[in-house]
Amino acid sequence: MQRRPGLTLGPGRPDAGAVTALPSGTTAWILTDGKAGDLAPCRGLAHALGLTAQERQVALRPPFSWWAPRGPADPRDRVLTPPWPDLALATGRRAVPALRALRRLSGGRTFTVFLRDPRIGAEVADLVWVPEHDRLRGPTVLTTLAGPHPVSPERLAAARAAPDPRLAALPAPRAAVLVGGDSRHGRVRPEAAERFLSALDRLGAEASLMITASRRTPSSLREGLRALSLRRGAFLWDGSGENPYLALLALADAVVATADSANMVGEAVATGAPVLLFELTDTYLRHRPFFAALRHYGAVHPFNGRLEGSRYEPLDFTPAIAEAVAAAYLRHRDALARLTGP
Protein backbone atom coordinates (compact mmCIF):
# COMPACT_ATOMS: atom_id res chain seq x y z
CA MET A 1 0.00 0.00 0.00
CA GLN A 2 1.55 3.29 -1.11
CA ARG A 3 1.26 6.19 1.29
CA ARG A 4 1.52 9.83 0.30
CA PRO A 5 1.50 13.05 2.37
CA GLY A 6 -1.77 14.11 3.95
CA LEU A 7 -2.81 10.69 5.32
CA THR A 8 -3.35 9.59 1.72
CA LEU A 9 -3.78 5.91 0.93
CA GLY A 10 -2.68 5.52 -2.66
CA PRO A 11 -4.48 3.66 -5.44
CA GLY A 12 -4.31 -0.09 -5.76
CA ARG A 13 -5.25 -2.94 -3.49
CA PRO A 14 -4.94 -2.08 0.21
CA ASP A 15 -3.21 -4.44 2.59
CA ALA A 16 -5.64 -6.93 4.11
CA GLY A 17 -4.20 -6.78 7.63
CA ALA A 18 -6.27 -6.57 10.80
CA VAL A 19 -7.48 -3.17 11.96
CA THR A 20 -5.94 -1.88 15.20
CA ALA A 21 -8.37 -2.61 18.02
CA LEU A 22 -9.84 0.42 19.75
CA PRO A 23 -9.99 0.48 23.57
CA SER A 24 -12.81 -1.52 25.12
CA GLY A 25 -15.85 0.65 25.77
CA THR A 26 -15.13 3.15 22.99
CA THR A 27 -18.44 4.83 22.17
CA ALA A 28 -19.49 6.03 18.73
CA TRP A 29 -22.28 7.86 16.93
CA ILE A 30 -23.31 7.84 13.29
CA LEU A 31 -24.78 11.18 12.16
CA THR A 32 -26.73 11.30 8.86
CA ASP A 33 -30.12 12.48 7.65
CA GLY A 34 -31.14 8.82 7.33
CA LYS A 35 -30.54 8.21 3.63
CA ALA A 36 -29.47 4.64 2.89
CA GLY A 37 -26.60 5.85 0.72
CA ASP A 38 -25.19 7.80 3.67
CA LEU A 39 -25.82 5.19 6.34
CA ALA A 40 -24.10 2.37 4.43
CA PRO A 41 -20.53 3.78 4.38
CA CYS A 42 -20.77 4.87 8.02
CA ARG A 43 -22.06 1.47 9.08
CA GLY A 44 -19.35 -0.28 7.11
CA LEU A 45 -16.62 1.82 8.69
CA ALA A 46 -18.03 1.40 12.21
CA HIS A 47 -18.16 -2.37 11.71
CA ALA A 48 -14.56 -2.46 10.48
CA LEU A 49 -13.53 -0.49 13.58
CA GLY A 50 -15.26 -3.05 15.79
CA LEU A 51 -17.76 -0.49 17.07
CA THR A 52 -21.47 -0.73 17.74
CA ALA A 53 -22.39 2.82 16.82
CA GLN A 54 -25.53 4.63 17.90
CA GLU A 55 -27.31 5.99 14.83
CA ARG A 56 -28.66 9.50 15.24
CA GLN A 57 -30.72 11.06 12.48
CA VAL A 58 -30.29 14.76 11.84
CA ALA A 59 -33.60 16.54 11.22
CA LEU A 60 -32.84 20.02 9.90
CA ARG A 61 -35.90 22.18 9.22
CA PRO A 62 -36.10 25.44 7.29
CA PRO A 63 -34.34 27.79 7.34
CA PHE A 64 -31.46 25.69 8.74
CA SER A 65 -31.88 23.03 6.05
CA TRP A 66 -31.46 25.75 3.42
CA TRP A 67 -28.17 26.89 4.94
CA ALA A 68 -26.54 23.47 5.26
CA PRO A 69 -23.68 22.67 5.17
CA ARG A 70 -22.50 26.22 5.94
CA GLY A 71 -25.05 27.23 8.51
CA PRO A 72 -25.46 26.30 12.19
CA ALA A 73 -27.19 23.26 13.60
CA ASP A 74 -30.94 23.53 14.08
CA PRO A 75 -31.47 24.31 17.81
CA ARG A 76 -34.83 22.49 17.62
CA ASP A 77 -33.11 19.26 16.56
CA ARG A 78 -32.63 16.96 19.57
CA VAL A 79 -29.91 14.90 17.90
CA LEU A 80 -27.12 16.41 20.02
CA THR A 81 -27.67 15.32 23.61
CA PRO A 82 -24.92 14.19 26.02
CA PRO A 83 -23.12 12.08 27.00
CA TRP A 84 -20.87 12.80 24.06
CA PRO A 85 -19.33 9.86 22.22
CA ASP A 86 -15.62 9.15 21.90
CA LEU A 87 -15.90 9.03 18.11
CA ALA A 88 -18.46 10.30 15.58
CA LEU A 89 -18.86 9.31 11.93
CA ALA A 90 -20.96 11.48 9.64
CA THR A 91 -21.77 12.07 6.00
CA GLY A 92 -24.22 14.13 3.95
CA ARG A 93 -24.43 17.92 3.82
CA ARG A 94 -27.23 18.07 6.41
CA ALA A 95 -24.99 16.32 8.94
CA VAL A 96 -22.19 18.88 8.66
CA PRO A 97 -23.70 21.48 11.06
CA ALA A 98 -24.41 18.79 13.66
CA LEU A 99 -20.89 17.37 13.44
CA ARG A 100 -19.34 20.81 13.82
CA ALA A 101 -21.58 21.52 16.81
CA LEU A 102 -20.70 18.17 18.40
CA ARG A 103 -17.01 18.93 18.08
CA ARG A 104 -17.55 22.26 19.84
CA LEU A 105 -19.96 21.00 22.53
CA SER A 106 -17.66 18.12 23.47
CA GLY A 107 -14.77 20.51 23.93
CA GLY A 108 -12.87 18.67 21.24
CA ARG A 109 -13.00 15.36 23.10
CA THR A 110 -15.15 13.64 20.47
CA PHE A 111 -12.98 12.61 17.52
CA THR A 112 -14.97 13.50 14.42
CA VAL A 113 -14.78 11.85 11.00
CA PHE A 114 -16.61 13.05 7.90
CA LEU A 115 -17.00 10.86 4.82
CA ARG A 116 -16.94 12.58 1.39
CA ASP A 117 -16.32 16.23 0.61
CA PRO A 118 -18.19 18.46 3.12
CA ARG A 119 -18.04 21.31 0.53
CA ILE A 120 -16.77 23.85 3.07
CA GLY A 121 -13.25 22.57 3.70
CA ALA A 122 -11.60 19.88 5.78
CA GLU A 123 -11.84 21.88 9.02
CA VAL A 124 -15.34 20.55 9.71
CA ALA A 125 -13.88 17.39 11.31
CA ASP A 126 -10.71 15.94 12.77
CA LEU A 127 -10.42 13.63 9.77
CA VAL A 128 -12.12 13.73 6.37
CA TRP A 129 -12.22 10.89 3.85
CA VAL A 130 -12.81 11.60 0.16
CA PRO A 131 -12.47 9.42 -2.94
CA GLU A 132 -9.41 10.09 -5.06
CA HIS A 133 -11.51 11.64 -7.81
CA ASP A 134 -12.50 14.49 -5.46
CA ARG A 135 -10.22 17.52 -5.26
CA LEU A 136 -10.17 18.13 -1.50
CA ARG A 137 -6.70 17.61 -0.02
CA GLY A 138 -4.96 18.57 3.20
CA PRO A 139 -3.07 17.26 6.24
CA THR A 140 -6.25 15.78 7.73
CA VAL A 141 -7.70 14.47 4.46
CA LEU A 142 -7.61 10.76 3.71
CA THR A 143 -8.15 9.52 0.17
CA THR A 144 -8.58 6.08 -1.38
CA LEU A 145 -9.84 4.92 -4.74
CA ALA A 146 -13.14 3.71 -3.26
CA GLY A 147 -14.92 4.37 0.00
CA PRO A 148 -15.93 2.34 3.04
CA HIS A 149 -18.96 0.08 2.84
CA PRO A 150 -20.56 -2.83 4.72
CA VAL A 151 -19.84 -5.50 2.05
CA SER A 152 -17.05 -7.20 4.00
CA PRO A 153 -15.44 -10.56 3.11
CA GLU A 154 -16.90 -12.03 6.29
CA ARG A 155 -20.45 -10.98 5.44
CA LEU A 156 -20.10 -12.24 1.87
CA ALA A 157 -18.78 -15.59 3.12
CA ALA A 158 -21.68 -15.91 5.56
CA ALA A 159 -24.19 -15.14 2.79
CA ARG A 160 -22.63 -17.84 0.61
CA ALA A 161 -22.59 -20.37 3.44
CA ALA A 162 -26.30 -19.83 4.16
CA PRO A 163 -27.69 -18.63 0.82
CA ASP A 164 -30.97 -16.77 0.56
CA PRO A 165 -33.53 -19.45 -0.40
CA ARG A 166 -35.14 -17.07 -2.88
CA LEU A 167 -31.87 -17.09 -4.85
CA ALA A 168 -30.21 -20.41 -4.09
CA ALA A 169 -32.38 -22.37 -6.54
CA LEU A 170 -31.46 -20.14 -9.49
CA PRO A 171 -29.10 -22.00 -11.83
CA ALA A 172 -25.58 -20.68 -12.38
CA PRO A 173 -24.24 -18.52 -13.79
CA ARG A 174 -26.04 -15.84 -11.84
CA ALA A 175 -25.89 -12.11 -12.52
CA ALA A 176 -26.79 -9.56 -9.86
CA VAL A 177 -28.45 -6.51 -11.44
CA LEU A 178 -28.16 -3.31 -9.39
CA VAL A 179 -30.37 -0.61 -10.88
CA GLY A 180 -30.13 3.03 -9.87
CA GLY A 181 -31.89 5.91 -11.54
CA ASP A 182 -32.40 9.65 -11.40
CA SER A 183 -30.05 11.77 -9.32
CA ARG A 184 -29.10 15.41 -8.96
CA HIS A 185 -26.39 14.74 -11.54
CA GLY A 186 -28.68 13.42 -14.28
CA ARG A 187 -32.00 11.90 -15.29
CA VAL A 188 -32.56 8.49 -16.85
CA ARG A 189 -32.86 8.83 -20.60
CA PRO A 190 -35.85 6.84 -21.98
CA GLU A 191 -33.82 5.51 -24.91
CA ALA A 192 -31.06 4.41 -22.50
CA ALA A 193 -33.63 2.60 -20.36
CA GLU A 194 -34.88 0.73 -23.44
CA ARG A 195 -31.35 -0.28 -24.42
CA PHE A 196 -30.70 -1.41 -20.85
CA LEU A 197 -33.80 -3.59 -20.76
CA SER A 198 -32.92 -5.10 -24.15
CA ALA A 199 -29.39 -5.88 -22.97
CA LEU A 200 -30.75 -7.48 -19.78
CA ASP A 201 -33.12 -9.57 -21.88
CA ARG A 202 -30.15 -10.88 -23.90
CA LEU A 203 -28.21 -11.57 -20.72
CA GLY A 204 -31.21 -13.46 -19.33
CA ALA A 205 -30.71 -16.05 -22.08
CA GLU A 206 -27.34 -17.09 -20.62
CA ALA A 207 -27.55 -16.22 -16.91
CA SER A 208 -30.06 -16.16 -14.06
CA LEU A 209 -30.91 -12.55 -13.27
CA MET A 210 -31.17 -11.35 -9.66
CA ILE A 211 -32.53 -7.80 -9.86
CA THR A 212 -32.90 -5.06 -7.29
CA ALA A 213 -33.95 -1.49 -8.02
CA SER A 214 -33.46 1.77 -6.16
CA ARG A 215 -35.85 4.35 -4.79
CA ARG A 216 -34.41 6.51 -7.59
CA THR A 217 -35.48 4.08 -10.33
CA PRO A 218 -38.22 5.67 -12.51
CA SER A 219 -41.58 3.89 -12.47
CA SER A 220 -41.43 3.18 -16.22
CA LEU A 221 -38.13 1.36 -15.81
CA ARG A 222 -39.49 -0.53 -12.80
CA GLU A 223 -42.37 -1.76 -14.92
CA GLY A 224 -39.95 -2.84 -17.62
CA LEU A 225 -37.89 -4.76 -15.07
CA ARG A 226 -41.03 -6.45 -13.75
CA ALA A 227 -42.06 -7.57 -17.24
CA LEU A 228 -38.54 -8.79 -17.94
CA SER A 229 -38.40 -10.81 -14.73
CA LEU A 230 -41.65 -12.57 -15.60
CA ARG A 231 -40.48 -13.29 -19.12
CA ARG A 232 -37.06 -14.61 -18.10
CA GLY A 233 -37.98 -16.25 -14.78
CA ALA A 234 -35.68 -13.80 -12.99
CA PHE A 235 -35.72 -12.76 -9.36
CA LEU A 236 -36.88 -9.18 -8.82
CA TRP A 237 -37.01 -7.86 -5.29
CA ASP A 238 -40.38 -6.20 -4.80
CA GLY A 239 -39.56 -4.72 -1.41
CA SER A 240 -41.11 -7.55 0.59
CA GLY A 241 -39.14 -9.73 2.95
CA GLU A 242 -35.52 -9.24 3.89
CA ASN A 243 -33.45 -7.03 1.61
CA PRO A 244 -31.45 -9.48 -0.57
CA TYR A 245 -28.77 -6.96 -1.60
CA LEU A 246 -25.86 -8.69 0.16
CA ALA A 247 -27.09 -12.12 -0.96
CA LEU A 248 -27.21 -10.95 -4.58
CA LEU A 249 -23.61 -9.81 -4.41
CA ALA A 250 -22.45 -12.94 -2.60
CA LEU A 251 -23.98 -15.34 -5.13
CA ALA A 252 -23.19 -13.36 -8.29
CA ASP A 253 -20.89 -14.66 -10.99
CA ALA A 254 -21.13 -11.17 -12.49
CA VAL A 255 -22.66 -7.87 -11.39
CA VAL A 256 -24.51 -5.51 -13.71
CA ALA A 257 -24.54 -2.02 -12.21
CA THR A 258 -25.75 1.33 -13.48
CA ALA A 259 -23.14 4.08 -13.53
CA ASP A 260 -25.14 6.65 -11.54
CA SER A 261 -23.80 5.41 -8.18
CA ALA A 262 -20.10 5.21 -7.33
CA ASN A 263 -21.09 3.65 -3.99
CA MET A 264 -22.89 0.79 -5.72
CA VAL A 265 -19.93 0.08 -8.01
CA GLY A 266 -17.51 0.32 -5.08
CA GLU A 267 -19.49 -2.35 -3.23
CA ALA A 268 -19.72 -4.53 -6.34
CA VAL A 269 -15.94 -4.65 -6.89
CA ALA A 270 -15.51 -5.91 -3.31
CA THR A 271 -16.91 -9.27 -4.52
CA GLY A 272 -14.21 -10.05 -7.09
CA ALA A 273 -16.91 -10.70 -9.70
CA PRO A 274 -16.74 -8.87 -13.04
CA VAL A 275 -18.76 -5.66 -12.92
CA LEU A 276 -20.63 -4.77 -16.10
CA LEU A 277 -21.34 -1.05 -16.18
CA PHE A 278 -24.23 0.61 -18.01
CA GLU A 279 -24.92 4.36 -18.34
CA LEU A 280 -28.59 5.07 -17.72
CA THR A 281 -27.65 8.73 -17.37
CA ASP A 282 -24.62 10.66 -18.53
CA THR A 283 -21.89 9.57 -16.14
CA TYR A 284 -21.12 12.24 -13.54
CA LEU A 285 -17.83 13.89 -14.49
CA ARG A 286 -16.27 13.26 -11.09
CA HIS A 287 -16.98 9.52 -11.31
CA ARG A 288 -15.21 9.01 -14.62
CA PRO A 289 -11.65 8.72 -13.21
CA PHE A 290 -12.92 6.18 -10.65
CA PHE A 291 -14.53 4.00 -13.30
CA ALA A 292 -11.47 4.36 -15.54
CA ALA A 293 -9.20 3.12 -12.73
CA LEU A 294 -11.47 0.12 -12.17
CA ARG A 295 -11.42 -0.68 -15.88
CA HIS A 296 -7.62 -0.51 -15.87
CA TYR A 297 -7.57 -2.89 -12.89
CA GLY A 298 -9.75 -5.31 -14.85
CA ALA A 299 -12.75 -5.17 -12.53
CA VAL A 300 -15.17 -3.19 -14.71
CA HIS A 301 -16.35 -3.71 -18.30
CA PRO A 302 -19.06 -2.11 -20.45
CA PHE A 303 -22.39 -3.94 -20.34
CA ASN A 304 -23.49 -5.08 -23.79
CA GLY A 305 -25.95 -7.83 -22.88
CA ARG A 306 -23.50 -10.66 -22.28
CA LEU A 307 -21.19 -11.99 -19.59
CA GLU A 308 -17.68 -10.59 -19.90
CA GLY A 309 -14.52 -10.46 -17.84
CA SER A 310 -13.06 -12.79 -15.24
CA ARG A 311 -12.65 -12.79 -11.49
CA TYR A 312 -9.95 -10.63 -9.87
CA GLU A 313 -8.62 -9.92 -6.40
CA PRO A 314 -11.50 -8.11 -4.65
CA LEU A 315 -11.04 -4.38 -4.08
CA ASP A 316 -12.05 -3.39 -0.57
CA PHE A 317 -10.56 -0.24 0.92
CA THR A 318 -12.68 -0.34 4.08
CA PRO A 319 -10.02 -2.03 6.29
CA ALA A 320 -7.35 0.45 5.19
CA ILE A 321 -9.64 3.41 5.89
CA ALA A 322 -10.58 1.93 9.27
CA GLU A 323 -6.92 1.46 10.16
CA ALA A 324 -6.17 5.11 9.32
CA VAL A 325 -9.16 6.26 11.41
CA ALA A 326 -8.16 4.03 14.33
CA ALA A 327 -4.59 5.33 14.29
CA ALA A 328 -5.73 8.97 14.12
CA TYR A 329 -8.25 8.41 16.93
CA LEU A 330 -5.62 6.84 19.19
CA ARG A 331 -3.26 9.78 18.59
CA HIS A 332 -6.13 12.13 19.45
CA ARG A 333 -6.88 10.15 22.62
CA ASP A 334 -3.23 10.15 23.70
CA ALA A 335 -2.96 13.90 23.12
CA LEU A 336 -6.03 14.50 25.30
CA ALA A 337 -4.56 12.31 28.05
CA ARG A 338 -1.34 14.32 28.04
CA LEU A 339 -3.29 17.56 28.33
CA THR A 340 -5.51 16.44 31.19
CA GLY A 341 -2.93 14.38 33.05
CA PRO A 342 -3.49 11.14 34.98
Side-chain angles (χ1 to χ4, degrees):
M1 177 174 62
Q2 178 187 2
R3 290 184 184 271
R4 298 199 296 268
L7 295 176
T8 298
L9 299 175
R13 180 176 178 268
D15 293 339
V19 176
T20 298
L22 297 182
S24 176
T26 299
T27 58
W29 287 1
I30 288 174
L31 292 173
T32 72
D33 65 0
K35 289 197 293 287
D38 289 339
L39 280 169
C42 291
R43 287 171 173 169
L45 181 54
H47 179 76
L49 289 165
L51 298 173
T52 301
Q54 183 182 126
E55 296 181 5
R56 297 202 169 195
Q57 185 170 326
V58 177
L60 288 182
R61 288 166 288 184
F64 298 94
S65 58
W66 304 336
W67 299 335
R70 290 173 174 78
D74 187 339
R76 298 164 296 180
D77 188 359
R78 306 294 297 173
V79 72
L80 298 179
T81 53
W84 311 121
D86 299 312
L87 191 149
L89 311 175
T91 193
R93 70 175 183 85
R94 289 181 177 85
V96 171
L99 191 69
R100 294 167 64 195
L102 173 59
R103 197 179 183 192
R104 173 176 52 81
L105 291 168
S106 70
R109 290 185 172 275
T110 297
F111 184 76
T112 55
V113 179
F114 193 83
L115 303 180
R116 306 191 192 113
D117 190 344
R119 306 301 182 194
I120 56 172
E123 295 75 20
V124 303
D126 295 295
L127 184 67
V128 174
W129 170 84
V130 296
E132 284 186 352
H133 54 266
D134 272 6
R135 295 179 181 177
L136 184 67
R137 296 293 185 272
T140 59
V141 177
L142 167 71
T143 71
T144 57
L145 179 61
H149 54 71
V151 185
S152 66
E154 296 77 17
R155 295 188 71 199
L156 288 170
R160 291 175 186 128
D164 189 317
R166 296 171 293 179
L167 307 173
L170 295 173
R174 305 182 185 98
V177 182
L178 315 179
V179 186
D182 297 331
S183 74
R184 61 191 177 95
H185 304 302
R187 312 288 291 182
V188 173
R189 304 185 303 272
E191 67 278 8
E194 288 299 321
R195 286 190 288 107
F196 182 56
L197 289 169
S198 295
L200 285 178
D201 196 26
R202 294 194 298 275
L203 181 62
E206 62 173 312
S208 298
L209 304 181
M210 307 178 294
I211 307 170
T212 184
S214 159
R215 288 178 298 177
R216 299 182 291 106
T217 306
S219 57
S220 58
L221 180 52
R222 283 181 177 275
E223 289 304 314
L225 292 170
R226 184 173 292 108
L228 170 68
S229 66
L230 293 173
R231 185 167 62 253
R232 285 296 186 185
F235 171 81
L236 173 64
W237 189 47
D238 61 4
S240 62
E242 185 177 354
N243 189 330
Y245 184 75
L246 185 68
L248 265 65
L249 292 177
L251 297 178
D253 297 292
V255 180
V256 177
T258 57
D260 47 89
S261 171
N263 282 355
M264 202 157 61
V265 175
E267 292 169 350
V269 298
T271 67
V275 177
L276 310 176
L277 201 60
F278 189 91
E279 293 191 17
L280 277 176
T281 65
D282 292 329
T283 297
Y284 182 35
L285 186 63
R286 283 179 144 179
H287 292 168
R288 291 177 187 174
F290 172 52
F291 296 151
L294 294 178
R295 284 194 295 270
H296 181 73
Y297 184 76
V300 165
H301 312 269
F303 177 49
N304 296 308
R306 55 181 297 179
L307 295 176
E308 295 186 45
S310 57
R311 295 195 69 85
Y312 50 88
E313 190 68 28
L315 278 170
D316 182 7
F317 290 85
T318 307
I321 296 168
E323 176 59 26
V325 170
Y329 167 71
L330 291 174
R331 290 194 298 270
H332 175 83
R333 183 173 176 268
D334 290 345
L336 284 176
R338 289 194 297 272
L339 285 174
T340 57

